[in-house]
Amino acid sequence: MKDCLPDQLYSVYVDGESSAEDIRLVESHLIGCEKCRGVILALGDEAIVIADVLHDRHRLADRNPVVRAPARTRAKGLAIGLGPTLAIAALLVTVLGWLLETRLPAGTSWMNPMKWIGVYEMIFDLIFLLRDRAPGLIEFTVALGAMLSVASILTFLVSAISRLLLGTSALLLLLTASMFTSPPVANAFESRTSKGDLEVAMDETVEESLFISAEVVSIDGTVDGDLVVLAERIVLRGVVHGNVFAIGREVEVSGVIDGSLHTAGERVTIEGEVRQNLYGAAETMTLHERGRIRRDVTLAGESVHMDGSVGRDLVSTAERVNIRGTVGRNASTASGRLTLHGNVRIVGDLEYSLPDEAEPEIMSGAEIGGETTAGDLLQKLSRPVNRWANGHFYMRMTVFLVSAFLVGMVLQVLRPDVFLVDLETSSDFLRSMGYGAIGLVCIPIALILCFVTVVGIPIGVIGVFLYVTILLLSVIVVASVVGTSIAASAGFEGEGLHAFGMSLLVGLLVVVIAMNLPFVGGILRLLVVMVGVGMIIIAAIDAWQHRLGDGYAG
Amino acid sequence: MDEQAIKLIVDRALAGDGAAFAALFREYKRDVYCVCRRMLGHAESAEDAVSESFLRARRALDGFDPEQPFRPWLISIAGHHCIDQLRRKSLESRIFSESPMEESQLKSIAPSALVRILAMEERQSLGRAIEVLPARYRLPLLLRYFEDMDYEAIAKSIGVTKKQVGTLLFRAKALLRAEVESMANQHSNGLRVGRRKK
């Protein structure tokens, strides 16, 4: 023991910095001294522990957002960031206000919120009306609330039902189709509003798109563009060359619509011809004998009467579905009761969902070309939370996880700063949520404004893609934060792509499971998207300020 | 960025290209921040120190030997700046006085003690011990175990001999052991007191 070397020699030896002479000295001693061999091992462990702890700190420091903008520039960054933001906001408000007041074509004055007082009143009336008379349509009151995006939300909600019936891919196809098959809303809008009645007379032709709102609206003439109607009673006997968005207590269509008809109301009756698709939600929805829809029909309501002819598929969810007419391809229904009358002709398959093994009433003489099968849609709809029992759900989740993971990894390689926003304190969280809420609401409004102005359409299209991308990325960003904190609290440490990948995967799993939990899943989903969008916005702002901040070094 | 690319940028910066220096700033600010953060203990002064270190580096750039690696040079500027800061704030009056610790004291706790104490759950106390370590020891410890620099580079960076680096590191680790051990004792004493109160 008294021969043992000073510990400092060992310390240097473990660090691999000993001189050749010292190495010889140490090693020849170690051969005969078990205690010193223990010391050497302990010193090696100690060095690893110290480096670990230091690097752990490093990892935390990495996540500190101020790293990206050094202190001196932080106050500057705030000044630089806040100033222009306020300036741009003020400029936008001024320019938009000025445009609304003076520059927009006369017809677009309906965009001016000040002119909507009557419309607001009507929307509220309608919402309360729907709530009282057609509680099944409560979803659509949400659509009504978002007056500007009425068309897109309605289409989305209705097509979401059809997605359930037809499968996942149909949604994208439907959305894309309804976006691109619709004659563009590019034409300038003409707007007519009144508290009383309004009409487009038989001999009148409106050469642009028309927004019309009144107590009773009658369209007997021709509208060359799209028609957006909001009224207590809507009677369309004329011709519309574009799409029709009709929301009212009573909607009667006996004219001709070249585009698609999107409609919601208490009673909707269609006696005329729709050359494209019909999306409808109503307490009572009737396609009259003479009514003809050239393409697909997607309906939701209390009772649906299909007496006319449908060119292609019929998708319908309602308490009672009565079919008398012709369906060119397949029919899918989910309802409390289904009645097929004697003169029914369905060229393709019939898939029906009825509660508790109830059978459809199929009268003699009804013709069904393909197979008749009982689906489980109603069960799916009545238990929407139980996704976990569905095999497809796991497949979808796996596809989502894999793709989100890959996108996350690519992003980490290309733009790691997206993942650097902090969520360590509650104020970070609230800040992200605030930004997210603003982003979620403002971006669509900005996009709609882009679409309404002719020149803005390309920007709008790019914006839509960007928006959808941000929504998807938001989940990934939140997952990375969740994963990192789980990894940190589990004591898992590491750097580089491998460690990032591991924590991203863990985070994605947790977030995806949380978003699909029964009951709370919906709220969590909203939270995740909101926080994630906020974090992306903050990262973008930071990156922008950072670019400005870098200037001082140069 | 690889060595070669860095070298080209450093050459451009030496020739007075401001944009090149900005690129170096982007490349290294995180490393510099981490060192400053470790040296100074809190984030805000570390942020200031990053800016200040880069300003210093920019001013001292003429004296930089382009044949030497840039990063250790930059890190040592940051380290020295942090020591200056600490001295100015007289948080560390002992920095440049000789360590009061006796050789015998240092030997009293074997390295195995640290490893034993640090069986995972005590890592936080090691972090705290590093924070209270005198800057004189903290800088070489950081350069060695965080920056992975060899003794020679550390010696050059902090202006001592290679042998002194070995001594500084050895003492740094001994101090850490002592600190962690005393924290662990305090902790267990606290627990005992707590139990008695019950």
Side-chain angles (χ1 to χ4, degrees), chain A residues 247-262:
Chain A
I247 295 165
R249 186 175 300 209
E250 279 180 53
V251 180
E252 296 170 31
V253 177
S254 52
V256 176
I257 298 169
D258 277 346
S260 296
L261 169 62
H262 308 245

PDB file of all heavy atoms in Angstrom, chain A residues 247-262:
ATOM      1  N   ILE A 247     -78.646  28.269 -47.867  1.00  0.00           N
ATOM      2  CA  ILE A 247     -78.947  27.977 -46.475  1.00  0.00           C
ATOM      3  C   ILE A 247     -80.192  28.743 -46.093  1.00  0.00           C
ATOM      4  O   ILE A 247     -80.234  29.975 -46.209  1.00  0.00           O
ATOM      5  CB  ILE A 247     -77.772  28.368 -45.576  1.00  0.00           C
ATOM      6  CG1 ILE A 247     -76.571  27.494 -45.918  1.00  0.00           C
ATOM      7  CG2 ILE A 247     -78.139  28.198 -44.108  1.00  0.00           C
ATOM      8  CD1 ILE A 247     -75.296  28.017 -45.372  1.00  0.00           C
ATOM      9  N   GLY A 248     -81.183  28.027 -45.678  1.00  0.00           N
ATOM     10  CA  GLY A 248     -82.415  28.703 -45.320  1.00  0.00           C
ATOM     11  C   GLY A 248     -83.362  27.744 -44.649  1.00  0.00           C
ATOM     12  O   GLY A 248     -83.102  26.544 -44.554  1.00  0.00           O
ATOM     13  N   ARG A 249     -84.458  28.293 -44.160  1.00  0.00           N
ATOM     14  CA  ARG A 249     -85.406  27.409 -43.497  1.00  0.00           C
ATOM     15  C   ARG A 249     -86.040  26.481 -44.533  1.00  0.00           C
ATOM     16  O   ARG A 249     -86.128  25.284 -44.329  1.00  0.00           O
ATOM     17  CB  ARG A 249     -86.461  28.248 -42.796  1.00  0.00           C
ATOM     18  CG  ARG A 249     -87.396  27.426 -41.960  1.00  0.00           C
ATOM     19  CD  ARG A 249     -88.335  28.306 -41.212  1.00  0.00           C
ATOM     20  NE  ARG A 249     -87.574  29.195 -40.329  1.00  0.00           N
ATOM     21  CZ  ARG A 249     -88.041  29.669 -39.183  1.00  0.00           C
ATOM     22  NH1 ARG A 249     -89.250  29.334 -38.780  1.00  0.00           N
ATOM     23  NH2 ARG A 249     -87.339  30.471 -38.439  1.00  0.00           N
ATOM     24  N   GLU A 250     -86.488  27.075 -45.618  1.00  0.00           N
ATOM     25  CA  GLU A 250     -87.053  26.257 -46.687  1.00  0.00           C
ATOM     26  C   GLU A 250     -86.271  26.487 -47.961  1.00  0.00           C
ATOM     27  O   GLU A 250     -86.073  27.634 -48.363  1.00  0.00           O
ATOM     28  CB  GLU A 250     -88.506  26.660 -46.948  1.00  0.00           C
ATOM     29  CG  GLU A 250     -89.464  26.044 -45.980  1.00  0.00           C
ATOM     30  CD  GLU A 250     -90.878  26.489 -46.301  1.00  0.00           C
ATOM     31  OE1 GLU A 250     -91.286  26.323 -47.465  1.00  0.00           O
ATOM     32  OE2 GLU A 250     -91.531  27.035 -45.400  1.00  0.00           O
ATOM     33  N   VAL A 251     -85.870  25.433 -48.581  1.00  0.00           N
ATOM     34  CA  VAL A 251     -85.130  25.569 -49.835  1.00  0.00           C
ATOM     35  C   VAL A 251     -85.865  24.742 -50.888  1.00  0.00           C
ATOM     36  O   VAL A 251     -86.099  23.543 -50.692  1.00  0.00           O
ATOM     37  CB  VAL A 251     -83.681  25.062 -49.681  1.00  0.00           C
ATOM     38  CG1 VAL A 251     -82.929  25.200 -50.996  1.00  0.00           C
ATOM     39  CG2 VAL A 251     -82.959  25.828 -48.577  1.00  0.00           C
ATOM     40  N   GLU A 252     -86.272  25.386 -51.952  1.00  0.00           N
ATOM     41  CA  GLU A 252     -86.925  24.655 -53.038  1.00  0.00           C
ATOM     42  C   GLU A 252     -86.157  24.907 -54.320  1.00  0.00           C
ATOM     43  O   GLU A 252     -85.982  26.058 -54.715  1.00  0.00           O
ATOM     44  CB  GLU A 252     -88.357  25.151 -53.247  1.00  0.00           C
ATOM     45  CG  GLU A 252     -89.259  24.897 -52.062  1.00  0.00           C
ATOM     46  CD  GLU A 252     -90.584  25.636 -52.231  1.00  0.00           C
ATOM     47  OE1 GLU A 252     -91.011  25.814 -53.405  1.00  0.00           O
ATOM     48  OE2 GLU A 252     -91.143  26.073 -51.200  1.00  0.00           O
ATOM     49  N   VAL A 253     -85.715  23.853 -54.925  1.00  0.00           N
ATOM     50  CA  VAL A 253     -84.962  24.014 -56.170  1.00  0.00           C
ATOM     51  C   VAL A 253     -85.750  23.326 -57.277  1.00  0.00           C
ATOM     52  O   VAL A 253     -85.942  22.104 -57.251  1.00  0.00           O
ATOM     53  CB  VAL A 253     -83.557  23.383 -56.043  1.00  0.00           C
ATOM     54  CG1 VAL A 253     -82.806  23.488 -57.359  1.00  0.00           C
ATOM     55  CG2 VAL A 253     -82.780  24.070 -54.931  1.00  0.00           C
ATOM     56  N   SER A 254     -86.214  24.097 -58.219  1.00  0.00           N
ATOM     57  CA  SER A 254     -86.882  23.456 -59.353  1.00  0.00           C
ATOM     58  C   SER A 254     -86.214  23.873 -60.658  1.00  0.00           C
ATOM     59  O   SER A 254     -86.628  23.433 -61.731  1.00  0.00           O
ATOM     60  CB  SER A 254     -88.376  23.779 -59.369  1.00  0.00           C
ATOM     61  OG  SER A 254     -88.548  25.180 -59.290  1.00  0.00           O
ATOM     62  N   GLY A 255     -85.201  24.681 -60.535  1.00  0.00           N
ATOM     63  CA  GLY A 255     -84.497  25.119 -61.736  1.00  0.00           C
ATOM     64  C   GLY A 255     -83.347  24.185 -62.082  1.00  0.00           C
ATOM     65  O   GLY A 255     -83.356  23.002 -61.748  1.00  0.00           O
ATOM     66  N   VAL A 256     -82.339  24.749 -62.745  1.00  0.00           N
ATOM     67  CA  VAL A 256     -81.198  23.952 -63.194  1.00  0.00           C
ATOM     68  C   VAL A 256     -79.920  24.539 -62.603  1.00  0.00           C
ATOM     69  O   VAL A 256     -79.710  25.754 -62.657  1.00  0.00           O
ATOM     70  CB  VAL A 256     -81.104  23.945 -64.738  1.00  0.00           C
ATOM     71  CG1 VAL A 256     -79.868  23.190 -65.195  1.00  0.00           C
ATOM     72  CG2 VAL A 256     -82.349  23.330 -65.328  1.00  0.00           C
ATOM     73  N   ILE A 257     -79.100  23.672 -62.025  1.00  0.00           N
ATOM     74  CA  ILE A 257     -77.811  24.122 -61.476  1.00  0.00           C
ATOM     75  C   ILE A 257     -76.715  23.380 -62.226  1.00  0.00           C
ATOM     76  O   ILE A 257     -76.661  22.145 -62.200  1.00  0.00           O
ATOM     77  CB  ILE A 257     -77.740  23.824 -59.961  1.00  0.00           C
ATOM     78  CG1 ILE A 257     -78.847  24.584 -59.222  1.00  0.00           C
ATOM     79  CG2 ILE A 257     -76.370  24.190 -59.410  1.00  0.00           C
ATOM     80  CD1 ILE A 257     -79.024  24.168 -57.777  1.00  0.00           C
ATOM     81  N   ASP A 258     -75.845  24.136 -62.884  1.00  0.00           N
ATOM     82  CA  ASP A 258     -74.771  23.483 -63.638  1.00  0.00           C
ATOM     83  C   ASP A 258     -73.702  22.907 -62.720  1.00  0.00           C
ATOM     84  O   ASP A 258     -73.047  21.918 -63.029  1.00  0.00           O
ATOM     85  CB  ASP A 258     -74.117  24.492 -64.597  1.00  0.00           C
ATOM     86  CG  ASP A 258     -74.932  24.590 -65.883  1.00  0.00           C
ATOM     87  OD1 ASP A 258     -75.786  23.700 -66.083  1.00  0.00           O
ATOM     88  OD2 ASP A 258     -74.710  25.533 -66.658  1.00  0.00           O
ATOM     89  N   GLY A 259     -73.489  23.544 -61.591  1.00  0.00           N
ATOM     90  CA  GLY A 259     -72.459  23.075 -60.674  1.00  0.00           C
ATOM     91  C   GLY A 259     -73.050  22.170 -59.618  1.00  0.00           C
ATOM     92  O   GLY A 259     -73.983  21.407 -59.894  1.00  0.00           O
ATOM     93  N   SER A 260     -72.502  22.243 -58.427  1.00  0.00           N
ATOM     94  CA  SER A 260     -72.999  21.438 -57.328  1.00  0.00           C
ATOM     95  C   SER A 260     -73.920  22.270 -56.453  1.00  0.00           C
ATOM     96  O   SER A 260     -73.825  23.503 -56.444  1.00  0.00           O
ATOM     97  CB  SER A 260     -71.843  20.934 -56.470  1.00  0.00           C
ATOM     98  OG  SER A 260     -71.019  20.084 -57.222  1.00  0.00           O
ATOM     99  N   LEU A 261     -74.752  21.561 -55.728  1.00  0.00           N
ATOM    100  CA  LEU A 261     -75.617  22.249 -54.784  1.00  0.00           C
ATOM    101  C   LEU A 261     -75.201  21.868 -53.369  1.00  0.00           C
ATOM    102  O   LEU A 261     -75.142  20.689 -53.030  1.00  0.00           O
ATOM    103  CB  LEU A 261     -77.079  21.843 -55.047  1.00  0.00           C
ATOM    104  CG  LEU A 261     -78.107  22.265 -53.986  1.00  0.00           C
ATOM    105  CD1 LEU A 261     -78.174  23.778 -53.856  1.00  0.00           C
ATOM    106  CD2 LEU A 261     -79.488  21.697 -54.326  1.00  0.00           C
ATOM    107  N   HIS A 262     -74.885  22.876 -52.574  1.00  0.00           N
ATOM    108  CA  HIS A 262     -74.583  22.658 -51.154  1.00  0.00           C
ATOM    109  C   HIS A 262     -75.720  23.309 -50.404  1.00  0.00           C
ATOM    110  O   HIS A 262     -75.922  24.511 -50.543  1.00  0.00           O
ATOM    111  CB  HIS A 262     -73.277  23.340 -50.749  1.00  0.00           C
ATOM    112  CG  HIS A 262     -72.110  22.992 -51.623  1.00  0.00           C
ATOM    113  ND1 HIS A 262     -71.020  22.313 -51.166  1.00  0.00           N
ATOM    114  CD2 HIS A 262     -71.865  23.246 -52.921  1.00  0.00           C
ATOM    115  CE1 HIS A 262     -70.144  22.152 -52.135  1.00  0.00           C
ATOM    116  NE2 HIS A 262     -70.636  22.710 -53.223  1.00  0.00           N
TER     117      HIS A 262
END
